[in-house]
Amino acid sequence: VQPGPVGDHDFGGSLIGIQQFVNQRVNFLTSNTELQTAGPAISSVLTSSTTPLPEETVYVTAAVAPVSSAVSSVELFYRAEPGVYSRVTMLDNGRSGDGAPGDGVYGVVLPVTATGGMEVQYYVAARAANSYGSFTFFPTLAENGPFTLAYGYSGGGVRITEYMYSGTSGEFFEITNMSALPIDLTGW
């Protein structure tokens, strides 16, 4: 952009270009103490079962360690259907599926009323006890790339109970729901 009048406006100087603007923002953000202060380190997030049945209690655990200050809180964010995530506090008390008290492993029961085939998305957030309350998320993309836990079907789920092939006359198969719960066959 050249200095001088443009239409009815006199800018009286030059405007910075996009590259210069981006460089200034990068310098500002990388030198900002609040943005550079690390949150706790989350090294793993696990479930007590990778394919639980609806009647099973599922624990979610997270291994969390302080980085530059103590761990203030650890929370599980979860949702069983599209929409807003709910949250629940994870504890390191030895009674939450987390192992020994004070071992840096936090746990909580996944608080959903599960049904066969249900998928639950979840992620973990850990907050530092520093003056900024720095957060760490696992997985890193949190809501944009959460973990997914898929519940299996109790009592056998769906079974193919009859199949017939008659060459050019056609073919068919029969499926039977072996469980007491309705099963959504969308996408099968």
Side-chain angles (χ1 to χ4, degrees):
V1 175
Q2 298 297 320
V6 175
D8 293 335
H9 304 287
D10 183 3
F11 292 105
S14 65
L15 298 175
I16 64 170
I18 190 74
Q19 183 64 48
Q20 189 178 3
F21 172 77
V22 169
N23 289 340
Q24 288 175 356
R25 294 305 299 164
V26 166
N27 291 337
F28 170 76
L29 295 173
T30 56
S31 65
N32 186 307
T33 306
E34 182 174 355
L35 297 176
Q36 296 306 311
T37 302
I42 305 173
S43 58
S44 70
V45 172
L46 302 170
T47 56
S48 57
S49 177
T50 55
T51 54
L53 296 176
E55 62 273 8
E56 287 182 63
T57 298
V58 176
Y59 286 94
V60 179
T61 58
V64 181
V67 173
S68 58
S69 61
V71 176
S72 170
S73 64
V74 179
E75 292 181 304
L76 172 69
F77 288 76
Y78 66 95
R79 66 180 179 188
E81 54 189 49
V84 177
Y85 282 84
S86 297
R87 71 169 86 181
V88 61
T89 300
M90 300 179 78
L91 301 173
D92 183 9
N93 62 3
R95 297 184 310 273
S96 303
D98 60 308
D103 64 357
V105 176
Y106 292 74
V108 69
V109 171
L110 183 60
V112 297
T113 303
T115 58
M118 177 176 168
E119 291 188 346
V120 178
Q121 295 181 326
Y122 64 98
Y123 65 93
V124 172
R127 184 176 186 153
N130 59 35
S131 60
Y132 305 116
S134 303
F135 274 97
T136 302
F137 298 96
F138 200 88
T140 305
L141 294 177
E143 291 184 10
N144 293 318
F147 293 116
T148 301
L149 178 69
Y151 282 86
Y153 293 96
S154 296
V158 175
R159 291 195 181 151
I160 296 175
T161 52
E162 189 174 343
Y163 174 77
M164 183 172 156
Y165 178 73
S166 299
T168 59
S169 302
E171 59 186 278
F172 77 93
F173 67 94
E174 176 183 277
I175 57 174
T176 302
N177 179 358
M178 304 302 286
S179 75
L181 302 170
I183 296 176
D184 183 3
L185 297 178
T186 304
W188 279 29

